[in-house]
Amino acid sequence: MNNKLFEEFNKVSSKEWKNKIQYELKGADYNDTLIWESLEGIKVKPFYHNDIDNTSISIATQTSSFKIVQSIYVFDVEKSIEKTKASLQKGAETIYFTIDNTTINLSQLFENLPQTATYLVKLTFLDEQYIEQVKKFLDNQSLDIHLLIDPIHQLVTNGNWFTNLEQDFKNVQLALSSNKINLCINTQVYQNAGANIVQQIAYTLSHLNEYFNRIAKINQTIYLQVAVGTNYFFEIAKIKAIRLLVDTLKKEYNTHQFDVKIIATPTKRNKTLYDYNVNMLRTTTECMSAILGGADFVYNLPYDALYHKDNEFSDRIARNQLLILKEESYFDIVDNPTEGTYYIEQLTIQLAEKALDLFKQIEKADGFITSLIEGTIQRKINEAASKEQELFTTGKEVLLGTNKYPNPQDFMSNDLELYPFVKQNPRKTLIAPIIERRLAEAYEQQRLEQEKNKTN
């Protein structure tokens, strides 16, 4: 079929569109009225056109095969097995286990689990003896299991290494001799602590580059774990920019031959204690951004994760949100669905360019770990977080039901099973840890105090 759609209509150039818009503004300034600047310094235009914005980026993503993830913290092995089987029956395709101590027996955990699922196992410790035991188990295992390690994330969030830099990287080198043990570059903390999108991309790249500089050869898949915020199109472009820059970095290291898989989950930064059902709306659009951006695995954050312990009801709701996107909204039909969209492609390019400049600055300053030790990364994140916090405080950044249209009849003090705020734990650390902090924390603490005063 050679006929082109709409060929009977005359082409309209971007200049003609702009002139028409300027006329409709009736004297108002085009730049001041319709162009806005993001926190990353990107000026967003009211429209994008193929005569100036048509730049195609080749980023291969397998949107059609994204996996729905259920996260399970392993405390009791038998209960974890039971929950795993139930989750897989109800729509989960990948299980993300978190293990925080050496007493958990992996052979017992995986003894009778279904063969069809993928299992990701995050270790929150790095023990040489445990790794040796696990390697023997994994190398003789037919299940699709990947053990995930990231000592730099331990430094970033805890302020100290597991042991020390030299020993931790020695243990990483030992672990990577197994094809089923993988690096997982966990970058969620940067978003959750308030870093802007350019910083998130640059710190992800720098975080990864530390392993490239310190490990001679990496052949197995590397997992990148990212948090997705509420800025819909920017978040799509963020994930695409991360892939673009990781591919660029990979080409510089001929010794490293690996695939990249992205694990995405909604951010905690914009989630709220009050009017918590709105969290479901936020996580839905954030999961949409993750899928359209090309995440391989998507784990949805339960709407009550801030204040409730794990429970079947909220887990089911979170899974069902993803099932609706996949089975009823057809988000898995087309690979790389945003290719050719002028706005997203331009955002991707601009974010990647700005992030690459920041990455180069970090490398000139002797790398990511040195910048953490010197406090540069922490200071820059705090500056970005303060700007966003000011926008929230003044009402320019809106969280519906919190700083806009709050419900005065909404009481939460009797529903808290978990402490939903930053926990203070002063101790001696090598670096100042990067602390996750939600935008609404101060507001919510004030409301909880008001509830307390009413009941006294």
Side-chain angles (χ1 to χ4, degrees):
M1 184 175 177
N2 296 322
N3 294 332
K4 294 182 178 180
L5 294 174
F6 310 120
E7 61 182 2
E8 65 270 26
F9 294 99
N10 294 327
K11 291 184 177 180
V12 181
S13 69
S14 58
K15 183 177 181 180
E16 290 174 299
W17 275 117
K18 187 173 179 179
N19 287 339
K20 177 63 175 174
I21 293 169
Q22 187 67 68
Y23 173 79
E24 296 293 340
L25 288 174
K26 302 184 185 304
D29 185 79
Y30 174 88
N31 292 330
D32 292 342
T33 306
L34 297 181
I35 293 179
W36 60 274
E37 186 170 318
S38 74
L39 290 170
E40 296 77 19
I42 292 176
K43 292 184 177 180
V44 180
K45 300 184 294 184
F47 73 97
Y48 290 76
H49 196 281
N50 65 355
D51 63 7
I52 55 174
D53 302 306
N54 187 9
T55 304
S56 181
I57 306 172
S58 179
I59 305 174
T61 59
Q62 299 296 317
T63 308
S64 59
S65 57
F66 85 90
K67 302 297 184 185
I68 296 173
V69 179
Q70 176 66 56
S71 178
I72 297 176
Y73 172 76
V74 181
F75 176 74
D76 183 298
V77 171
E78 292 300 325
K79 289 183 179 178
S80 297
I81 292 172
E82 183 181 335
K83 183 174 181 178
T84 297
K85 291 180 177 179
S87 298
L88 292 172
Q89 288 175 351
K90 295 176 182 178
E93 299 161 310
T94 296
I95 303 298
Y96 188 105
F97 290 118
T98 299
I99 296 177
D100 68 358
N101 69 82
T102 59
T103 64
I104 301 299
N105 188 320
L106 284 192
S107 60
Q108 180 186 357
L109 177 63
F110 287 102
E111 188 175 9
N112 295 308
L113 292 184
Q115 296 274 340
T116 54
T118 298
Y119 301 96
L120 306 176
V121 184
K122 181 179 74 171
L123 294 186
T124 62
F125 58 91
L126 199 60
D127 180 83
E128 184 176 354
Q129 184 177 357
Y130 189 82
I131 288 172
E132 287 286 11
Q133 293 173 352
V134 165
K135 281 173 59 181
K136 294 176 183 177
F137 165 74
L138 292 175
D139 291 341
N140 296 309
Q141 188 53 243
S142 60
L143 287 172
D144 187 14
I145 305 173
H146 301 276
L147 200 72
L148 309 180
I149 56 175
D150 184 8
I152 293 177
H153 178 257
Q154 167 71 10
L155 175 68
V156 166
T157 56
N158 182 272
N160 291 313
W161 297 101
F162 290 114
T163 305
N164 55 56
L165 186 151
E166 183 179 351
Q167 185 61 47
D168 281 6
F169 276 92
K170 180 181 177 181
N171 287 339
V172 169
Q173 189 77 63
L174 170 69
L176 294 182
S177 61
S178 169
N179 289 328
K180 290 193 174 181
I181 301 181
N182 306 75
L183 287 172
C184 180
I185 313 304
N186 191 335
T187 68
Q188 292 176 324
V189 64
Y190 310 132
Q191 213 284 347
N192 287 328
N196 65 43
I197 291 177
V198 167
Q199 290 173 330
Q200 292 170 48
I201 299 169
Y203 298 159
T204 298
L205 206 62
S206 294
H207 189 148
L208 174 60
N209 196 49
E210 287 291 342
Y211 289 110
F212 286 172
N213 285 330
R214 298 171 188 274
I215 296 174
K217 193 173 184 180
I218 301 174
N219 292 324
Q220 55 267 74
T221 298
I222 291 179
Y223 292 81
L224 300 176
Q225 194 163 345
V226 302
V228 181
T230 196
N231 195 343
Y232 187 71
F233 294 108
F234 272 68
E235 292 293 338
I236 295 172
K238 177 178 83 176
I239 296 177
K240 289 168 69 75
I242 288 173
R243 280 199 186 276
L244 181 66
L245 291 179
V246 169
D247 285 346
T248 301
L249 186 64
K250 178 181 174 181
K251 292 174 183 176
E252 299 298 320
Y253 290 88
N254 295 326
T255 57
H256 299 313
Q257 302 298 322
F258 60 89
D259 293 326
V260 171
K261 300 288 187 183
I262 293 179
I263 307 167
T265 189
T267 182
K268 293 179 181 177
R269 184 154 174 81
N270 64 357
K271 303 305 178 288
T272 56
L273 188 60
Y274 289 91
D275 210 351
Y276 49 77
N277 287 320
V278 181
N279 289 333
M280 282 188 275
L281 303 179
R282 298 177 182 124
T283 56
T284 298
T285 61
E286 288 158 2
C287 287
M288 289 166 66
S289 292
I291 297 166
L292 295 176
D296 301 280
F297 302 91
V298 182
Y299 162 59
N300 190 15
L301 188 72
Y303 72 95
D304 60 351
L306 298 179
Y307 65 93
H308 270 170
K309 296 177 181 178
D310 288 347
N311 62 89
E312 172 53 30
F313 179 78
S314 59
D315 281 345
R316 180 167 60 86
I317 294 295
R319 276 195 310 271
N320 286 349
Q321 288 173 256
L322 289 171
L323 283 167
I324 289 171
L325 292 178
K326 191 166 193 175
E327 304 293 342
E328 298 183 27
S329 303
Y330 307 114
F331 268 60
D332 64 337
I333 296 299
V334 180
D335 285 331
N336 205 16
T338 62
E339 185 175 18
T341 53
Y342 311 141
Y343 177 38
I344 295 175
E345 301 283 58
Q346 284 297 314
L347 283 182
T348 302
I349 291 170
Q350 291 179 74
L351 289 172
E353 288 175 346
K354 286 178 174 289
L356 186 59
D357 287 341
L358 180 54
F359 168 76
K360 290 177 180 178
Q361 293 174 27
I362 295 169
E363 292 306 301
K364 286 181 180 178
D366 204 23
F368 190 63
I369 291 174
T370 298
S371 293
L372 285 169
I373 293 171
E374 293 177 350
T376 307
I377 303 294
Q378 297 90 322
R379 186 178 71 254
K380 293 295 185 181
I381 290 178
N382 287 338
E383 289 172 359
S386 296
K387 289 181 181 179
E388 188 182 21
Q389 190 69 53
E390 178 64 22
L391 291 175
F392 172 79
T393 302
T394 57
K396 294 178 182 177
E397 180 165 340
V398 173
L399 294 182
L400 196 63
T402 300
N403 67 340
K404 188 78 168 180
Y405 306 125
N407 178 7
Q409 305 305 317
D410 193 5
F411 301 102
M412 290 299 300
S413 57
N414 294 326
D415 293 326
L416 303 184
E417 296 176 356
L418 301 172
Y419 185 71
F421 308 116
V422 172
K423 295 178 182 178
Q424 302 296 329
N425 183 23
R427 65 195 189 285
K428 186 176 182 181
T429 57
L430 177 65
I431 69 166
I434 296 175
I435 305 298
E436 298 182 356
R437 190 184 303 273
R438 294 182 298 108
L439 288 168
E441 287 199 14
Y443 172 88
E444 291 169 351
Q445 287 173 314
Q446 184 179 13
R447 281 195 65 172
L448 286 171
E449 187 64 28
Q450 290 172 353
E451 286 185 38
K452 181 180 176 181
N453 291 337
K454 287 180 180 178
T455 58
N456 290 339

